[in-house]
Amino acid sequence: MKRICMGLATAIAVATAVSSVPAAFAATPKDQLVIGTSLAQVLSVDPQQGTEEKTQQILANAYDRLVYNDDQDQNTIKPQLAESWEVGDKAITFHLRDAKFASGNPVTAGDVVFSLVRLMKLSQAASGYFKSAGYTADNIESKVRAVDERTFQIDLTDDVVPEDLLYRLAMGVSCIVDSAEVKKHVNADDYGNEWLRTHTAGSGPYKLRSWTPNGMVILEANEEYWGEKPAMRRIIMRHAPESQTARLMLEHGDIDIADAMTAPDIMSFVGKDGFTIEKTKIGGFYALAMNAGEEPLSNPLVRQAIAYGIDYDGIAKTILGPYGRPRNVPVPEDWKGAIANPDWSFQPEKAKELLAKAGYPDGFSLTIKTIAQPPRVDMATAIQATLDQIGIKVSINQGSGAEIVADHRARKFDLLLPQASAVMPNALGAMNDFVTNPDNSKEANNAGSMVWRSAWDIPEINALRDETSRERDDGKRVALIKEIQEKFIAESPAVLPMFERFSPVVMTGRIDGYKGNIWSLTRFEQITKKD
């Protein structure tokens, strides 16, 4: 596979962009953290709406959840707004700490109720994680309650075990919003969504000062924060979609952290004095979504042929590097209950045989859609090249996060490159995005389900997922997890996991205390900066 070298004109543009950086960024202040990243997917900072990776990083710092998942400590659930909790047979009861929102309003159990009801009533993609656990817009108000100002209770459903509910409550979609502040901005029963798309109303260590789409996000320290005052009084996230630009900015000291560079640019910092590389295990996957609602992708043999028509090892070595490793089963290979990988290596002759058997000996043409950022653009180019070898002509359609995500949710694609995340840091959580589709009809409009977006009808697999989610016996649960994976492979999935994801970042040696997070909920309150 050939890599495309940067042309002279592009190189000059990069140099000009770096040299024209405002003087204020020439040497980052000790009390400001400057991050070079891609903001292309940040479409909304409403915590009950935005689920994209960089959105989660913003939400993690502007909001608190009841609890958080410490993936630095074996994925242990730890207190955040809840100081303690008790798990009963029918419900979990949380006792809240004394805390205030950035507005100065006290955090109450009523705010927790409001936030979870709001999540389900908005019924955005973010609510899918709770829908799969048995909570709905119709039943949520009967499942959550404020026992008193500082005591919150949520009923367990028959669809989820307590541990898995706690993990869901640790997710970004479970951020607690300031109900009094949000209610001031309700417009036509939108639950304050129009306002919260561009504002924050949380109790986290920071609050949103400004956000320019595809430009810059500025977070400022929240003076009302209940925890230890963060050393960084300001967090600046700068849109730096060009990897070489971000690399030069990092080398010149214009930014402290770069987290959206290509693998070669990241690897250029290996062993370089004054820089460190951190790689966080995500538990999710880079996937290939195929629209099974349309021919020829409705044919399982065609989907299987495509699975044999991708050079996973080549893409991993030349493109992904620290970003991922080949894996076609939607459970990380080192997690409990994971099965062995199928033999879906690049086998063009076998792929051609499958296409002929499916009735397409001469192949056909498709379009692959992808967000225009690394490493997915290079992945699309590589997939285009290898599928061409089996007779499938692929054109590439790049777009912004808003465009591609909208098309994905509307089933307007042939092939598409999404990222899947682990709902929970266990096998069932890793599989969730690949095996959840309770109703495949268009009328269901379950855009929160990646499987629904691919129009892949999997009633048997979904039923097994439901059964596993309810099973409290560990041995039986592991057996069911393995059965789901085996059936998933046998069905020639329309949402094909290709690579287990990792999240690499490069930072200057000045940064201390950075801890990545499995769900991109990286908090910056513990970060300090050396002189």
Side-chain angles (χ1 to χ4, degrees), residues 448-467:
S449 165
M450 275 182 43
V451 180
W452 181 90
R453 296 179 192 182
S454 283
W456 186 36
D457 199 12
I458 51 168
E460 185 178 359
I461 293 176
N462 189 83
L464 270 175
R465 188 209 68 84
D466 289 345
E467 182 181 352

Side-chain angles (χ1 to χ4, degrees), residues 132-291:
S132 63
Y135 301 92
T136 68
D138 292 331
N139 73 16
I140 187 63
E141 290 174 290
S142 67
K143 298 292 185 184
V144 295
R145 66 194 60 85
V147 179
D148 56 42
E149 287 289 294
R150 301 271 288 277
T151 308
F152 166 76
Q153 193 171 76
I154 181 169
D155 292 340
L156 295 166
T157 70
D158 293 333
D159 298 325
V160 67
V161 298
E163 178 188 29
D164 290 354
L165 177 56
L166 285 169
Y167 280 130
R168 283 171 166 82
L169 290 169
M171 297 180 71
V173 301
S174 301
C175 289
I176 308 305
V177 304
D178 183 343
S179 61
E181 189 66 24
V182 173
K183 287 175 182 177
K184 295 178 184 177
H185 303 280
V186 172
N187 182 17
D189 298 322
D190 73 341
Y191 297 94
N193 173 248
E194 181 180 351
W195 183 76
L196 269 184
R197 288 174 65 89
T198 55
H199 297 78
T200 56
S203 59
Y206 293 92
K207 58 185 178 180
L208 181 66
R209 175 182 173 183
S210 64
W211 164 38
T212 305
N214 292 329
M216 185 180 298
V217 171
I218 299 178
L219 300 170
E220 287 195 338
N222 173 16
E223 297 298 327
E224 299 288 349
Y225 181 51
W226 53 266
E228 185 176 346
K229 183 179 180 179
M232 299 293 107
R233 68 178 178 86
R234 181 173 293 164
I235 307 295
I236 300 173
M237 302 172 70
R238 304 185 63 198
H239 186 50
E242 295 294 333
S243 179
Q244 291 200 5
T245 301
R247 176 175 61 79
L248 291 172
M249 291 168 69
L250 190 62
E251 290 175 337
H252 292 178
D254 299 320
I255 58 177
D256 301 303
I257 296 174
D259 65 6
M261 294 193 297
T262 62
D265 282 330
I266 292 172
M267 298 308 290
S268 72
F269 287 93
V270 173
K272 184 178 289 189
D273 289 342
F275 299 94
T276 59
I277 300 173
E278 295 282 346
K279 190 171 82 168
T280 303
K281 186 180 182 68
I282 297 298
F285 294 82
Y286 289 111
L288 178 65
M290 310 179 218
N291 192 339

